Amino acid sequence: MLKSPRPRRRPLPAMFKPLRRALAVPVWADVALRIGAALALISIVVLVHWLDRDGLRDSFDGEVSFLDVVYFTMISITTTGFGDIAPVSDKSRLVEAIIVTPIRLAVIYIFVGTAYNFIIKRSWEKWRMKRIQERLEDHIVVLGYGVSGSEAVAELIARDTDPSCIVVIDPSSARLALAEQAGCNVLEGDATRDETLSAVRINRARTVLVSAGRDDTTILIILTARHMAPKVPITAVVRADDNELLARQAGADNVINPVRFTGLLLAGSAEGKHISEYLSDLASVTGRVQLVERPVAKGEIGRPLGEITTGKGLRIYRGTRAIGFWQDEAHKLEPGDVIVEISSTGWEEDDPTP
C-alpha cells in the first residue's frame, strides 16, 4: 500500500482532520484514570503523614496541623523539600523511606507517562498518520459507513483485505468509531467536497465504494469522486430503480440495488428452496463457493472458457461486451479478456450437496 514519496506533492487541506487509528482507551478515559491514580496515591501519603504527624516537626510554629500535612505531602511528592517541615523520628524517616518514596516514584512515573503519552506519543502518532495519508496508494475508499458500508468493510476484511488498506469517510464520529474498531483508517468529513476526497488521495485508490444512505447524496458523491478520480472504479448503492441510470451517468461503474437483490432472493426461493441459499453462498466469502473476476492468464489465451482450471467459467468481458459461456465467442479466450468464474473457497461442510 505504501510507496516512496513522489516529488512536488500537493499539501493536504488544512481544514480536514488527518487520518487516525483506533485508540485502546479513549483520551478522556485515559486522562481520568491517570488523574485518579495520582490522587489516590497522594491521598494515601496524606493519610500516612497524618497518622505519623507526631514524628514531623514544623520549624515555623512547632505544630503540625492537617493543612501542614497536606502541604508537606505535596512538597514531598514533588521533591521540592523546603525543609520547614521534616521527619525527625526514626519511625517517620522509616515511613518516608519505605512507604512514601515508592509512592513518590509512582506519582512521578504517572506524570512523566502522561506527558509522554499526550505530548510525545500522540504527536508522533499524528505525524505518522499524516505521513501514511500522504503516501496512500492502491487503497480502498469507503464513502459512508452506514449499514451497507459497514457490511462491505466486514466482508472485505473477511476476504483477507488488510484493514489498514481501507479508508472510511463519514460525517458521523459515532460511525467512524466503529470503523476504527475494525482497524480502518478514518476521516471525518463531507464526501461531496473535493477537499475531502483529495485528502485521502482518491485518485490513487484501488476502488471506491459509495453508500451514503440517500440516493441524491450518493449521486453527488459519485460525481465528485469521478471528477477527482477519472480512472478509479466506483461502486455505488442506490435504493430507487429510477436512480440506477442516474448513478451510472454520474460515473459509477457498478450500481447495486439492495431492494432488487432482496427481490431476487425472494423470487429464487419461490422457484426452489436451495436457489436463494446458493445465491447467498456466492455473495459471501463464508460460503463454499465464490464469484471471482480476474484477467485472462497467458496460458489460457486461445483456449475455450470451459477449459479453465481455476474454477467454472461463466462469462467473459471483452471490451464493453459480456459473453456467456454458451456463446461461440467463449470458445476462444483472447488477450485482454476478463473472466468471471465460480471457484471453491476451500471450506467444506458435512452436507455433500455441491
Side-chain angles (χ1 to χ4, degrees):
M1 183 185 84
L2 305 181
K3 297 191 176 181
S4 58
R6 299 173 183 268
R8 297 182 182 178
R9 292 193 184 279
R10 296 174 61 184
L12 296 173
M15 62 183 298
F16 289 97
K17 300 177 182 179
L19 294 176
R20 66 178 191 264
R21 292 270 178 85
L23 299 174
V25 180
V27 174
W28 64 267
D30 196 359
V31 172
L33 289 173
R34 291 173 184 272
I35 293 177
L39 291 177
L41 291 174
I42 292 173
S43 299
I44 293 174
V45 177
V46 170
L47 178 61
V48 170
H49 283 157
W50 176 250
L51 295 176
D52 190 48
R53 60 188 180 278
D54 293 338
L56 302 177
R57 176 177 295 175
D58 187 345
S59 60
F60 177 70
D61 57 10
E63 296 182 3
V64 178
S65 65
F66 182 75
L67 182 60
D68 291 331
V69 168
V70 174
Y71 164 73
F72 175 65
T73 297
M74 296 309 298
I75 64 173
S76 177
I77 287 292
T78 58
T79 67
T80 304
F82 293 118
D84 49 351
I85 301 178
V88 293
S89 68
D90 292 340
K91 179 183 175 182
S92 295
R93 291 174 179 177
L94 186 63
V95 167
E96 288 294 320
I98 297 178
I99 298 178
V100 178
T101 297
I103 293 178
R104 179 188 300 121
L105 295 176
V107 171
I108 293 174
Y109 175 79
I110 289 174
F111 285 126
V112 171
T114 301
Y116 165 75
N117 192 58
F118 289 98
I119 299 177
I120 301 175
K121 183 179 177 181
R122 294 192 188 280
S123 297
W124 165 260
E125 180 68 11
K126 184 177 180 180
W127 178 85
R128 189 177 70 88
M129 291 306 300
K130 185 176 180 181
R131 291 290 296 164
I132 291 176
Q133 187 171 5
E134 291 174 347
R135 300 166 65 189
L136 282 173
E137 186 128 5
D138 196 35
H139 53 296
I140 298 173
V141 178
V142 180
L143 305 180
Y145 200 74
V147 176
S148 300
S150 60
E151 288 294 330
V153 169
E155 185 70 18
L156 285 169
I157 295 175
R159 294 172 184 260
D160 296 328
T161 300
D162 186 352
S164 64
C165 294
I166 302 174
V167 179
V168 177
I169 298 179
D170 197 283
S172 169
S173 58
R175 289 196 292 264
L176 290 181
L178 299 176
E180 283 186 294
Q181 292 176 8
C184 302
N185 303 304
V186 301
L187 179 65
E188 185 174 347
D190 183 359
T192 65
R193 301 292 302 275
D194 289 2
E195 295 88 351
T196 309
L197 300 186
S198 176
V200 297
R201 299 175 63 82
I202 194 171
N203 61 320
R204 297 184 181 275
R206 183 193 316 169
T207 188
V208 176
L209 308 180
V210 184
S211 178
R214 290 173 52 97
D215 285 2
D216 53 351
T217 306
T218 295
I219 292 173
L220 182 56
I221 291 175
I222 294 170
L223 286 168
T224 308
R226 180 53 70 209
H227 164 69
M228 299 293 298
K231 298 181 180 180
V232 176
I234 299 176
T235 299
V237 174
V238 297
R239 288 163 175 77
D241 292 344
D242 52 354
N243 287 331
E244 291 187 32
L245 178 60
L246 292 177
R248 294 187 184 278
Q249 290 177 339
D253 299 280
N254 299 300
V255 179
I256 299 172
N257 189 326
V259 176
R260 177 175 295 179
F261 185 74
T262 302
L264 291 175
L265 293 178
L266 288 173
S269 64
E271 298 295 331
K273 65 178 184 179
H274 298 301
I275 294 178
S276 61
E277 177 186 353
Y278 195 78
L279 288 174
S280 298
D281 196 349
L282 282 175
S284 174
V285 72
T286 59
R288 300 177 63 190
V289 292
Q290 62 181 342
L291 283 171
V292 176
E293 178 178 326
R294 63 175 179 84
V296 62
K298 288 184 179 181
E300 296 171 334
I301 295 176
R303 299 172 57 186
L305 177 61
E307 292 185 4
I308 63 173
T309 58
T310 55
K312 176 67 176 178
L314 300 179
R315 180 175 290 184
I316 301 171
Y317 284 91
R318 184 170 295 161
T320 58
R321 297 184 57 211
I323 302 171
F325 63 87
W326 64 90
Q327 294 180 265
D328 293 339
E329 292 93 331
H331 294 163
K332 184 178 181 181
L333 294 171
E334 298 181 1
D337 284 350
V338 176
I339 298 174
V340 175
E341 63 185 14
I342 294 179
S343 64
S344 171
T345 60
W347 180 82
E348 295 294 338
E349 60 183 4
D350 295 335
D351 183 5
T353 305

